[in-house]
Amino acid sequence: MTSSSPPAAATRRSRGRPAVPLDRILATALQLVDEEGAEALSMRTLAQRLESGTATLYRHFGNRATLVTHVIDRVFGEVDLDAAALADLTWDQACRTVAQAMFETLGRHRRIAPLLIEQTPTGPNAMLLRERCLAVLLGAGFPPEFAARAYATLARYVLGFAIQLTGSGDTGERARALFQDVPPDRFPATLAVAGSLPVPLAEEFAFGLDLIVEGLRAAAPVG
Amino acid sequence: MTSSSPPAAATRRSRGRPAVPLDRILATALQLVDEEGAEALSMRTLAQRLESGTATLYRHFGNRATLVTHVIDRVFGEVDLDAAALADLTWDQACRTVAQAMFETLGRHRRIAPLLIEQTPTGPNAMLLRERCLAVLLGAGFPPEFAARAYATLARYVLGFAIQLTGSGDTGERARALFQDVPPDRFPATLAVAGSLPVPLAEEFAFGLDLIVEGLRAAAPVG
DNA sequence: ACCTGAACACCGTTCAAGT
DNA sequence: ACCTGAACACCGTTCAAGT
């Protein structure tokens, strides 16, 4: 490893001033959220993982909120969307595809949802994703106002669901246990559905998504 | 005010041990959230408003989370729902009514949404509200599994929307300003809908709700 | 019994001081 | 120029000590 030290290339760690590349900060931050949850993303903890100090982070970000903005946009950048492929779909297929892609990405970073509600995503990747969605809806012939509302509904549905994902994963299990132990005389309906609750989250999401798209088709001003 | 001091009734403030009634704690906590936001609900700040100490709070609640549970259920208790009135509605009218009532309550306590995603509501009022919703869906003849999914979809939509409500109120304004300043060549679709974005939140909510209920009607296994 | 002050181990943020 | 340690004003939680 450290056999023949090179002239001036290495500077292993925090020697001169390795400048802590922004990309490494964001990758580490996202990894931190993935592994330990959104609440673990503190300036101190992040600085520790980078083997740096908190003040160094403030050179890149004015405050924690803008750090969060960048981390969120990194996640949006992972949403698997091919503009060309989208163009070949009908508008309802495209809506389902985009929402599913967003859901899958949030599934890969389950613990990031609390950060998403801290702020409206305005990073470059988020802006691009929104642009593509709106382009599909406008391309289908929907008036701007209808397209805007349709997009908002879908976005809120995905986010609302993503929040449900946040729970440590056994959310469904815990809820089911709780609902099955409910007093039968006072909560007959709750008890009746308690048994059919451990539906896989992915299926549950698809169910609601179909509902919304079906409603969109029925309400759409175009055939 | 303090004219003729009564024998042993008053004990104006933190004298003997006024025991800090739980109801006053919760009312003060909710007021604190309403006035200064969810992030302001710290044990210290709450204790200060009660003219007490943090340790006193830990006599009533094991930790901050259970305090939050109680505050949330206090909000659920405000949801205006008459079981008798619900029974006279068709299932789709009932769904709209319940979702609207929940939305209006969250509108009265806009800044509480961040607390709602910290945990699944399990307080008595939340349990009762869920029971009534599920009873309506089962009463309409929906199979338990379908009813459970329908309820989950509606609950998630309302919560997802409530999160959007959390932003200081000018969220729409800020978003509109941002979207209208976007580069026209790269974001034509975003720009096209930017003008039709400042839709009143209540209308926006109703739009999506109708979509979902319409989708439910289309997907329902009963006529 | 119930409440209190002070402590412990954390936060986000800032700033003078180092290289 | 960039990084660092230490500080400031906060957290949630606990505990010995007061009445």
Side-chain angles (χ1 to χ4, degrees):
Chain A
M1 292 295 201
T2 35
S3 50
S4 64
S5 53
T11 61
R12 245 300 189 208
R13 175 169 300 152
S14 73
R15 191 79 78 70
R17 300 134 275 160
V20 195
L22 187 137
D23 198 67
R24 191 165 89 86
I25 296 181
L26 295 179
T28 305
L30 184 51
Q31 199 180 27
L32 179 59
V33 172
D34 287 344
E35 290 174 8
E36 303 185 27
E39 69 281 5
L41 180 58
S42 73
M43 303 302 263
R44 262 183 188 72
T45 309
L46 179 55
Q48 263 174 23
R49 280 215 182 194
L50 292 164
E51 301 181 61
S52 174
T54 57
T56 300
L57 296 173
Y58 284 90
R59 188 157 308 276
H60 296 270
F61 314 103
N63 49 36
R64 184 180 175 277
T66 69
L67 164 66
V68 167
T69 299
H70 285 251
V71 174
I72 286 174
D73 205 58
R74 186 164 250 262
V75 172
F76 273 88
E78 283 184 25
V79 178
D80 184 29
L81 268 197
D82 182 7
L86 269 191
D88 290 340
L89 302 176
T90 61
W91 70 266
D92 57 311
Q93 286 171 329
C95 284
R96 264 186 278 260
T97 302
V98 173
Q100 282 283 359
M102 191 66 215
F103 177 67
E104 275 156 32
T105 301
L106 288 172
R108 251 177 280 126
H109 302 284
R110 292 186 169 232
R111 312 171 80 162
I112 210 168
L115 298 182
L116 265 172
I117 72 153
E118 283 182 25
Q119 53 191 260
T120 300
T122 57
N125 290 317
M127 295 296 289
L128 185 61
L129 182 59
R130 179 166 32 231
E131 169 66 19
R132 284 183 179 168
C133 289
L134 290 169
V136 164
L137 293 167
L138 292 175
F142 295 155
E145 200 175 342
F146 188 88
R149 291 178 176 210
Y151 172 76
T153 297
L154 285 167
R156 277 178 200 121
Y157 177 72
V158 173
L159 182 56
F161 207 96
I163 289 160
Q164 211 82 353
L165 278 177
T166 308
S168 41
D170 60 353
T171 310
E173 288 305 314
R174 266 206 295 153
R176 181 168 74 130
L178 189 131
F179 293 156
Q180 279 182 337
D181 283 354
V182 111
D185 52 330
R186 290 171 51 219
F187 297 98
T190 301
L191 199 63
V193 308
S196 56
L197 267 185
V199 176
L201 281 173
E203 285 178 32
E204 178 74 50
F205 174 78
F207 172 83
L209 181 56
D210 284 344
L211 239 49
I212 291 173
V213 173
E214 203 54 47
L216 271 178
R217 192 206 311 284
V222 290
Chain B
M1 295 294 201
T2 34
S3 50
S4 63
S5 53
T11 61
R12 244 308 190 199
R13 176 169 299 154
S14 71
R15 193 78 78 71
R17 298 133 276 158
V20 195
L22 188 137
D23 199 69
R24 191 165 89 86
I25 296 181
L26 296 179
T28 306
L30 184 51
Q31 199 179 27
L32 179 59
V33 172
D34 287 344
E35 290 174 9
E36 303 185 25
E39 67 282 6
L41 180 58
S42 73
M43 302 302 261
R44 263 181 186 73
T45 309
L46 178 56
Q48 263 174 22
R49 280 215 181 192
L50 292 164
E51 301 180 63
S52 175
T54 57
T56 300
L57 296 173
Y58 283 90
R59 188 158 310 277
H60 295 271
F61 314 102
N63 49 36
R64 184 179 175 278
T66 71
L67 164 67
V68 167
T69 299
H70 284 252
V71 174
I72 286 174
D73 206 59
R74 186 164 249 262
V75 172
F76 273 89
E78 283 184 25
V79 178
D80 184 30
L81 267 197
D82 183 6
L86 270 191
D88 290 338
L89 302 176
T90 60
W91 70 265
D92 57 311
Q93 286 172 329
C95 284
R96 264 186 278 261
T97 301
V98 173
Q100 281 283 358
M102 190 67 215
F103 177 66
E104 275 156 30
T105 301
L106 288 172
R108 250 178 280 125
H109 302 282
R110 294 186 168 231
R111 313 172 79 162
I112 210 169
L115 298 183
L116 266 172
I117 73 153
E118 283 182 25
Q119 52 190 260
T120 301
T122 57
N125 289 317
M127 295 296 290
L128 184 62
L129 182 59
R130 178 165 32 231
E131 169 67 18
R132 283 182 179 169
C133 290
L134 290 169
V136 164
L137 293 167
L138 292 175
F142 295 154
E145 200 175 340
F146 188 87
R149 292 178 175 209
Y151 172 75
T153 297
L154 284 168
R156 277 181 199 116
Y157 177 72
V158 173
L159 182 56
F161 206 95
I163 289 159
Q164 210 83 352
L165 277 177
T166 308
S168 42
D170 61 351
T171 310
E173 286 308 312
R174 265 206 296 154
R176 181 168 74 131
L178 189 131
F179 293 155
Q180 279 181 338
D181 283 355
V182 109
D185 52 330
R186 290 171 50 219
F187 298 98
T190 301
L191 199 64
V193 307
S196 57
L197 267 185
V199 175
L201 281 173
E203 285 179 31
E204 178 74 50
F205 174 77
F207 172 82
L209 181 56
D210 284 345
L211 239 48
I212 290 173
V213 173
E214 203 55 45
L216 271 179
R217 192 206 311 284
V222 291

